[in-house]
Amino acid sequence: VTAAQMKELERKASEAGLSYEDMMENAGQAAARILLERLPGLRTAAVVCGRGNNGGDGFVAARWLANAGLAVRIYLLEGEPVTPDAIHNLALARQMGLEVLNLTGEALPEEQEHFLRRAELCFDGLYGTGYRFDPARPGVQGLLGRCAGKRVALDLPSGLEADTGADHTDAPADLTVAFHAPKACHALAAQRCGRLALADIGIRRVLAAPAEL
């Protein structure tokens, strides 16, 4: 599906009774479950998040990874989230006691930088289907490259444009968990996405429809 089609499917699902908050919860939970099934035995995870709903998916995934016993820290690239559901899920992560670090200000304390660089897993929740390249935005370049562990992208690797496959990524993902349906970039830039897994976020159930409009 295109980014616009996905947005419309989410709108219809919301009207049918599946809230955006529930879709975010389903997305983050499914991504964490798929990751734990495919890469068992991990102990540490850095979850790198942006300000939008892709970051919100990351906050949910962080909670589920922590519940599974991983040491998890959340790193904010652009500061605090701005969408209601992402704000809500970051608050839940903080209530659990998860550490939340801000990458927009001064350099991280040495121990936090060490955790980011040495974590066995890097969850990429920076930018989702709404991403369009803007040279004025904080760069993906160099940030995810600081993570040496396995990289798992939420819906699509940050820096890929969903409809065109235009590539502004920092590093390829080892695994991409696509929500509801594949996007064009998963085929156009398959080498950047790594293995592709499809996560059900509840839309099919409420719309009783296939992945396309």
Side-chain angles (χ1 to χ4, degrees), residues 1-151:
V1 297
T2 66
Q5 287 173 331
M6 188 66 199
K7 188 174 182 179
E8 179 66 6
L9 284 164
E10 290 171 342
R11 184 190 67 78
K12 289 183 176 181
S14 177
E15 289 180 349
L18 181 68
S19 70
Y20 285 99
E21 182 180 333
D22 286 340
M23 283 184 264
M24 183 174 288
E25 182 70 24
N26 293 342
Q29 180 182 356
R33 176 182 52 77
I34 289 169
L35 177 279
L36 292 168
E37 289 173 354
R38 297 200 177 196
L39 296 172
L42 296 174
R43 296 167 297 174
T44 54
V47 182
V48 184
C49 298
R51 300 171 70 199
N53 285 334
N54 198 245
D57 299 332
F59 303 144
V60 174
R63 289 176 19 232
W64 285 92
L65 291 173
N67 284 335
L70 277 71
V72 178
R73 296 181 191 178
I74 295 170
Y75 294 82
L76 303 178
L77 175 65
E78 299 177 318
E80 295 290 318
V82 296
T83 64
D85 294 328
I87 291 169
H88 170 71
N89 278 294
L90 181 56
L92 291 179
R94 283 180 163 135
Q95 288 172 17
M96 284 182 61
L98 297 186
E99 289 190 72
V100 180
L101 295 309
N102 200 320
L103 291 167
T104 62
E106 298 179 0
L108 288 171
E110 182 177 352
E111 193 273 335
Q112 302 290 7
E113 179 72 24
H114 179 78
F115 186 94
L116 176 66
R117 291 183 179 275
R118 298 297 298 273
E120 296 170 325
L121 169 70
C122 178
F123 246 84
D124 169 11
L126 290 178
Y127 305 129
T129 57
Y131 172 82
R132 300 294 181 274
F133 177 69
D134 179 353
R137 295 182 77 173
V140 177
Q141 311 303 326
L143 175 67
L144 293 170
R146 288 155 70 181
C147 305
K150 295 289 186 181
R151 179 180 169 198

Side-chain angles (χ1 to χ4, degrees), residues 31 33-40 42 121 150-157 160 171-179 182 185-187 189-199:
R33 176 182 52 77
I34 289 169
L35 177 279
L36 292 168
E37 289 173 354
R38 297 200 177 196
L39 296 172
L42 296 174
L121 169 70
K150 295 289 186 181
R151 179 180 169 198
V152 177
L154 295 169
D155 209 16
L156 67 168
L160 276 189
D174 296 289
L175 172 67
T176 295
V177 180
F179 299 140
C185 65
H186 295 139
Q191 75 282 1
R192 307 302 282 176
C193 298
R195 290 185 294 165
L196 185 66
L198 191 61

